[in-house]
Every structure is written in C-alpha cells, then in structure tokens.
Amino acid sequence: MIRFILWEQASRLPRKSVLSVIAMPELEPATPHPSLWQLFYNFAMVGLFGFGGVMPWARQMMVDRRRWVSEQSFNELLTTGQFFPGPNIANVGIIYGRRLHGLPGAVVTVCGLYLFPSLITVLAGFAYAKWWSHDVVQQIFGAVMPIATGLMLGTTLRLLKAMPRTLANYSAFVLTFVLMAVFVLPLWMVLLICIPSSLALSFIGSNKVAG
C-alpha cells in the first residue's frame, strides 16, 4: 500500500523531476585504443610537420588532439623515455606502442615517426650541397631557429604546469635546470645526480606526509 502511494505521487511529478530523483551512475570515458594504422599515420604526421623538433607536435597530437593520454600520463612516458638512449620522442612512441600492441605497435610507431624525416633529410642533403651558398637559403633556415626554440619552450611550460606541485618535484626541477643550463654538465652526469636526489626528496616528502 505504501509503495503504491509513493508511486502514485511520483507519477504526478514532471518527467524531469522523476528522473532527477534517480541517481544515475556517471560513466567514465573509455581510454582510446588506437589501431596499428592510427599509430603509424599519426606519428608519421608528427614526423612530417615536426620542423625544429617533434616533441611539441607529439605532445599536441597525443594529449590535445587525439586525447590518447592525459597530460600527466604523457609526462610519465617522457620521463621513462629519458632513461633510455636515443631520441626521447622515439622512446615515448616505442613505450606507448608496445603498451597497446606489443612489438608490432612499437615497430609501426617508430617507422611512422622516421618515415618522412628520413626522406626529407636525404633530399635536403642534396639541396644543401647544391644551394647552401645562396643567402636566401641561409636566411630561411635562420628564420626557423626562433620558431623551434619557442615551440620547445612552450612544451616545457606545459609539462611544468602538469607536474604535481610538490616541494620535491620543484627542487628536482631547479637542480636539473642549474646543472644543465648553468654548469653545462653532460646529460649522463645530470641524470646520475638528479635521479637519486629526486628519489631521496620524494622519500623524505612522503615520510613527512605520513608522519
């Protein structure tokens, strides 16, 4: 009887009010799972348009345009890729492609990334040998330099914005910057100093929070 009365009262309410009473679970967006062809095509476009460095283009493609990964996930991929020899963005592609499709995913990602740059570099080598003495060609290449620098700086600021705001992270960032920009140490030496320092700072910070 009570159930009937409640149902009768609910039926008199507007349809929108009845639905608003029912708590509908929020569905989380599914994580994109690009195919092998999508990996090859998109990384090939990154390699084709990545003049002055492909890192800004790769971040924009994976995070902003395709939304394959979040900003923080891209930072984690980049951090992992910096531990290994070779270009950072190639390491990022290998790690991401292998995570999705195993060895074939890693292979198609690297092949796509280096397809157009390899062809363009070979053709540019012939053009360089033939026309580099012309002032116009030198001015064109000189005009690209500030653009490439701006792209790298913009990507650095975006990565810094997505970094967790802790004292340990900022301390490790400043230490790395000083060793690279001020003391101009080799990369292997910077990593040898900064990785243990960052781990120690994170450990100390986690112990303070736990305490």
Side-chain angles (χ1 to χ4, degrees):
M1 185 65 180
I2 297 176
R3 184 182 300 176
F4 176 78
I5 294 174
L6 293 175
W7 173 256
E8 184 180 4
Q9 293 178 353
S11 64
R12 295 176 182 176
L13 295 174
R15 182 179 181 86
K16 182 177 180 180
S17 300
V18 175
L19 294 177
S20 62
V21 175
I22 304 174
M24 298 297 293
E26 297 183 359
L27 298 178
E28 296 183 357
T31 303
H33 194 279
S35 63
L36 290 173
W37 165 248
Q38 290 174 325
L39 286 175
F40 177 83
Y41 173 79
N42 284 279
F43 274 92
M45 292 299 101
V46 168
L48 176 62
F49 295 106
F51 290 94
V54 297
M55 183 63 68
W57 299 89
R59 196 215 64 81
Q60 190 269 342
M61 181 272 291
M62 296 181 69
V63 178
D64 297 333
R65 188 155 51 89
R66 299 301 181 186
R67 300 187 184 278
W68 288 349
V69 296
S70 64
E71 191 84 47
Q72 185 175 356
S73 298
F74 183 83
N75 290 353
E76 293 173 355
L77 287 171
L78 180 59
T79 302
T80 306
Q82 289 176 335
F83 283 111
F84 301 99
N88 293 331
I89 188 56
N91 295 337
V92 169
I94 291 173
I95 296 170
Y96 183 72
R98 191 182 187 285
R99 178 187 300 175
L100 297 179
H101 299 285
L103 182 60
V107 172
V108 299
T109 300
V110 174
C111 290
L113 182 64
Y114 285 106
L115 174 63
F116 290 113
S118 299
L119 296 176
I120 293 174
T121 302
V122 172
L123 296 177
F126 290 110
Y128 177 88
K130 187 173 183 179
W131 292 303
W132 180 249
S133 57
H134 296 273
D135 294 335
V136 176
V137 177
Q138 296 181 10
Q139 291 176 0
I140 292 174
F141 279 93
V144 175
M145 184 178 299
I147 299 174
T149 305
L151 289 173
M152 293 301 297
L153 179 59
T155 302
T156 302
L157 294 177
R158 293 289 297 271
L159 295 175
L160 182 62
K161 182 180 179 180
M163 185 178 65
R165 299 180 179 181
T166 63
L167 180 60
N169 288 339
Y170 283 122
S171 300
F173 171 80
V174 172
L175 176 62
T176 306
F177 177 80
V178 170
L179 295 179
M180 287 288 294
V182 179
F183 294 99
V184 197
L185 297 180
L187 180 58
W188 66 268
M189 189 177 297
V190 173
L191 294 176
L192 188 63
I193 297 173
C194 292
I195 292 174
S197 302
S198 180
L199 292 175
L201 291 171
S202 300
F203 180 76
I204 296 172
S206 60
N207 285 343
K208 288 183 178 179
V209 172

